[in-house]
Amino acid sequence: MVSRISERIDLATGGLRMRRLRQNDWIRRLVRETELQPADLIWPIFVREGEGEDEPVASMPGVVRRSVARCVDAAREARDLGIPLVALFPYTTPSLRDERGTEALNETNLVCTATRAIKAAVPEIGILCDVALDPYTSHGHDGIMIGNRIDNDASVEVLCAQALAQARAGCDILGPSDMMDGRVACIRAALDAEGFRDTMIMAYSAKYASAYYGPFRDAVGSGGLLKGDKRTYQMDYGNSEEALREAAQDIAEGADMVMVKPGMPYLDIVSRLSRELAVPTFAYQTSGEYAVIMAAHQNGWIDGDRAMMESLSAFKRAGAAGILTYFAPRAARAMAGRPL
Ligand code: PBG
């Protein structure tokens, strides 16, 4: 019996019933346009001095700072879960920090040591190292301060030396996250001059001055130190065209891949770059985004695991080639149907 309401609906829709393709799990899976995989994930890991227990990061529930040996364990775990790449960030003790971030150039610093250890034990996994001075400076900025300004060219000189130290340690991908002008060209030239032609560059191209980096700064120990803000080098969040110029410039200078950061509040930028520039575009789901989901989860206000998968899938839908996320191991376990 066809009711009057059904006739009216069929007239209005021309008989198209969109819900037909949602009626059960198998058809939803069959018509799904994008699907997250462990190979889409990049796992950021915090390295600390010394041995022993992992140290929790208070503002990032479930995230820890690990000894070098525990970083190797994480790399093994990543490999077993199908995560292709880990990103290393150091917690540098205040006594090793100075105005010029000298520790960044130390070939046996935490990042270089962890890189060597992971390369020796788990050679099948990729390692991404950040190029920026903020974990090493006494003022918490990414570059060299002259007076009260961050000097672009003096910073780039030091960043090239940092990049080389990391490449010599065996880093596969360098991620300049400093937002200095011309740094990609100079790092590429420095790498090539030493024969590191295969070392890749994933440029943090559209990196915005953001409130979402707060917990990360706690994790690397630069939060309390930062004088002022990073708005003279990181992008203004009112801008979209500028992101395109930044990324095009980094590609012209030799970047192999580009990145947008933060992630979720900037999905429009991820979508634009991935469509308009023919280059793999990555997104960084930052510490603050992670903290927001975890805090709501811990309060019982949202289902954190569902929010995790939904947020990561949004990056894929927007066109990201991959996502840096603190959820990486948990999301990969969820995808494999393993206990979380
Ligand atoms: C360093 C750097 C930052 C992040 C990655 N690399 C912080 C900053 O620029 O202040 C943030 C990562 C996160 O919030 O998860 N330049």
Side-chain angles (χ1 to χ4, degrees):
M1 220 26 222
V2 176
S3 71
R4 283 191 50 212
I5 197 84
S6 299
E7 276 170 17
R8 184 155 298 152
I9 289 168
D10 286 340
L11 197 66
T13 62
L16 174 62
R17 298 276 182 159
M18 295 295 284
R19 290 183 54 194
R20 264 182 223 133
L21 297 184
R22 297 179 203 138
Q23 59 186 297
N24 53 39
D25 188 58
W26 65 261
I27 190 65
R28 288 194 294 271
R29 285 196 293 127
L30 194 64
V31 300
R32 189 164 294 149
E33 294 171 41
T34 54
E35 192 145 18
L36 191 69
Q37 296 178 344
D40 298 318
L41 304 175
I42 302 170
W43 182 8
I45 292 170
F46 296 110
V47 197
R48 69 169 181 85
E49 199 60 66
E51 321 268 299
E53 299 282 289
D54 296 343
E55 283 173 11
V57 177
S59 51
M60 301 177 74
V63 172
V64 295
R65 301 189 193 102
R66 300 163 173 267
S67 67
V68 169
R70 290 281 301 138
C71 289
V72 173
D73 292 343
R76 280 200 193 91
E77 189 182 349
R79 176 199 57 200
D80 296 345
L81 288 166
I83 297 169
L85 180 65
V86 295
L88 300 177
F89 295 96
Y91 173 87
T92 310
T93 41
S95 62
L96 285 175
R97 289 170 172 263
D98 63 21
E99 281 279 307
R100 296 183 54 86
T102 313
E103 178 65 8
L105 313 188
N106 174 3
E107 307 223 343
T108 57
N109 69 19
L110 276 177
V111 163
C112 293
T113 304
T115 298
R116 279 192 209 91
I118 293 171
K119 275 290 146 192
V122 201
E124 54 282 62
I125 199 151
I127 300 179
L128 168 71
C129 294
D130 228 48
V131 184
L133 299 181
D134 55 315
Y136 306 99
T137 52
S138 47
H139 45 68
H141 279 290
D142 295 28
I144 301 292
M145 283 188 94
I146 297 185
N148 56 4
R149 291 185 65 249
I150 310 300
D151 188 87
N152 192 84
D153 301 10
S155 300
V156 170
E157 200 171 331
V158 180
L159 293 166
C160 286
Q162 178 187 23
L164 277 177
Q166 294 176 151
R168 289 180 199 127
C171 160
D172 301 288
I173 305 181
L174 290 163
S177 74
D178 54 285
M179 291 300 280
M180 297 301 124
D181 289 322
R183 90 276 207 216
V184 171
C186 293
I187 290 169
R188 184 72 267 161
L191 291 171
D192 292 348
E194 267 206 34
F196 292 111
R197 288 202 170 69
D198 289 337
T199 304
M200 297 165 255
I201 297 179
M202 180 188 289
Y204 287 67
S205 296
K207 178 170 178 181
Y208 288 84
S210 172
Y212 286 94
Y213 306 151
F216 172 94
R217 292 178 189 165
D218 294 341
V220 300
S222 52
L225 302 173
L226 183 63
K227 294 197 177 73
D229 58 50
K230 301 191 177 183
R231 283 186 284 190
T232 68
Y233 46 107
Q234 298 180 347
M235 283 179 56
D236 185 314
Y237 57 64
N239 298 346
S240 169
E241 301 299 325
E242 189 187 352
L244 215 56
R245 291 181 78 196
E246 278 282 6
Q249 178 67 22
D250 285 351
I251 295 162
E253 290 182 23
D256 303 290
M257 300 164 267
V258 298
M259 193 207 295
V260 175
K261 185 177 171 200
M264 277 172 73
Y266 296 84
L267 283 181
D268 57 323
I269 308 296
V270 175
S271 171
R272 244 193 119 171
L273 297 200
S274 71
R275 275 173 185 71
E276 296 186 33
L277 305 166
V279 59
T281 301
F282 291 81
Y284 201 136
Q285 185 178 48
T286 50
S287 57
E289 298 169 67
Y290 175 87
V292 164
I293 293 174
M294 289 306 288
H297 173 72
Q298 290 188 333
N299 273 296
W301 294 336
I302 60 171
D303 179 331
D305 286 321
R306 287 179 53 205
M308 165 180 80
M309 295 309 287
E310 185 177 338
S311 64
L312 293 172
S313 299
F315 291 107
K316 286 295 285 182
R317 196 179 61 239
I323 308 120
L324 290 99
T325 175
Y326 302 95
F327 285 120
R330 193 172 178 89
R333 283 194 293 272
M335 285 180 245
R338 296 197 202 174
L340 301 179

